[in-house]
Amino acid sequence: MTQTATEQLQIFLDIATESVLAAGAVLKERWGKLNNIQEKGRPGDLVTEADKLAEAQVLKILNLHLPEHQILAEESGALGNTNSKYLWAIDPLDGTTNYAHGLPMAATSVGLMIDGVPSVGAVYNPFSNELFRAARGLGATCNRRPIQVSPTSELTQSLLITGFAYDRRETTDNNYAEFCHLTHLTQGVRRLGCASMDLAGVACGRLDGYWERGLQPWDITAGIVILEEAGGKVTAYDGSPLDINSGRILATNSLIHDSLSQALLETPPLAEWKS
Ligand code: IPD
Ligand code: CA
Ligand code: CA
């Protein structure tokens, strides 16, 4: 008997879930026991044995169930069948800087693109024990309960989140000006250091909007599906369709999308910014 598209998405979602839970168990087990923290290139861009061990768990599960699929994993790079329309984007430890410092805000993020469209996502934070999941058309959940975005419709009433990429010392396009500008226009801008949980936070209504530059597909593929299935909107900064390889994302509860987009585009340079 052939599977329906929905049944197939459900199977992929279960595999994504199995892999993030296995990786999360590794992150818990290695917590506080790290003895080899390295920089990957740029200052502050860390990798630990926990990143590698957690990624090995995800790869083992994907290879077992779906050996014919394509994979983009943060620590191992491109793997598998490059002709496949299925591409898994894996961040084994999103929030490595937090993890390495003993700050319990980190997650494993496993997302699937089908023909380039984010279609399945699982994000598991083993410290809060929160499992966010979604598949296109099937809704989004946190710990198996449906979630939805906030009803906040005014930028002035919103709580936002952002981040600063590892190349921030090498460019003036480092998000500092946007951070100042949006801090003035809203109830606040947070920085948790974990892009997948930033997106999940908007998806479940704790936050109203998120923007960031310098991201990789493994940071956001799963979170995009979760947010869109929870009623949110994801685009480029200017509201045009998202290019997942551009590094930039604007992600909101939908209601503040246009006003946040406009505010980002109108950000004055830092030199002109006054208190
Ligand atoms: C980082 C986190 C952080 C974001 C960085 C990412 P990593 O991922 O998601 O919030 O600001 O741009 O690279 O390095 O911890 O996997
Ligand atoms: Ca990441
Ligand atoms: Ca990572």
Side-chain angles (χ1 to χ4, degrees):
M1 206 172 71
T2 54
Q3 287 160 357
T4 65
T6 301
E7 285 167 345
Q8 195 180 48
L9 281 179
Q10 191 61 58
I11 290 167
F12 293 154
L13 182 56
D14 289 343
I15 293 168
T17 303
E18 182 186 346
S19 71
V20 295
L21 292 177
V26 171
L27 300 184
K28 280 290 273 245
E29 196 279 320
R30 297 307 302 153
W31 180 246
K33 298 181 197 156
L34 296 179
N35 46 35
N36 185 16
I37 303 173
Q38 297 172 327
E39 280 185 341
K40 285 198 272 190
R42 291 198 165 93
D45 190 359
L46 305 178
V47 61
T48 72
E49 68 255 30
D51 296 70
K52 294 173 187 167
L53 289 168
E55 184 160 297
Q57 283 295 321
V58 176
L59 293 178
K60 190 172 88 178
I61 289 163
L62 291 184
N63 284 330
L64 178 70
H65 295 290
L66 305 163
E68 71 284 7
H69 284 197
Q70 196 178 164
I71 287 171
L72 178 63
E74 180 173 11
E75 310 307 338
S76 310
L79 302 167
N81 173 8
T82 49
N83 293 323
S84 173
K85 67 175 182 173
Y86 300 105
L87 172 59
W88 292 85
I90 301 163
D91 192 336
L93 171 45
D94 189 29
T96 295
T97 307
N98 292 340
Y99 188 90
H101 285 263
L103 182 66
M105 169 50 72
T108 300
S109 177
V110 173
L112 171 65
M113 285 181 256
I114 305 179
D115 287 324
V117 179
S119 301
V120 171
V123 171
Y124 179 53
N125 177 340
F127 303 104
S128 62
N129 197 23
E130 288 176 308
L131 171 64
F132 293 90
R133 308 187 332 141
R136 192 139 313 273
L138 303 183
T141 60
C142 176
N143 293 348
R144 316 260 168 188
R145 295 212 173 109
I147 53 171
Q148 62 183 38
V149 294
S150 72
T152 307
S153 58
E154 301 295 328
L155 201 54
T156 52
Q157 303 299 308
S158 68
L159 182 62
L160 307 182
I161 192 150
T162 192
F164 304 95
Y166 295 115
D167 68 356
R168 56 188 176 264
R169 298 173 192 85
E170 300 156 28
T171 173
T172 52
D173 178 21
N174 52 17
N175 201 28
Y176 296 172
E178 289 85 349
F179 179 76
C180 290
H181 187 50
L182 268 306
T183 296
H184 261 224
L185 295 180
T186 64
Q187 291 191 346
V189 181
R190 300 291 179 254
R191 195 308 195 226
L192 291 181
C194 180
S196 57
M197 285 298 292
D198 297 346
L199 285 162
V202 181
C204 69
R206 292 172 194 162
L207 298 158
D208 307 303
Y210 165 63
W211 83 93
E212 191 165 347
R213 59 163 291 280
L215 296 163
Q216 298 291 335
W218 52 73
D219 294 310
I220 54 177
T221 298
I224 287 170
V225 188
I226 294 164
L227 177 55
E228 289 185 332
E229 284 298 311
K233 184 169 177 180
V234 177
T235 67
Y237 280 13
D238 65 1
S240 64
L242 181 76
D243 170 2
I244 203 161
N245 296 305
S246 71
R248 278 173 212 263
I249 189 171
L250 170 59
T252 70
N253 65 356
S254 298
L255 301 173
I256 63 161
H257 205 86
D258 292 348
S259 43
L260 180 51
S261 170
Q262 192 182 345
L264 280 173
L265 298 181
E266 290 174 355
T267 299
L270 263 187
E272 287 172 27
W273 189 81
K274 300 180 208 65
S275 59

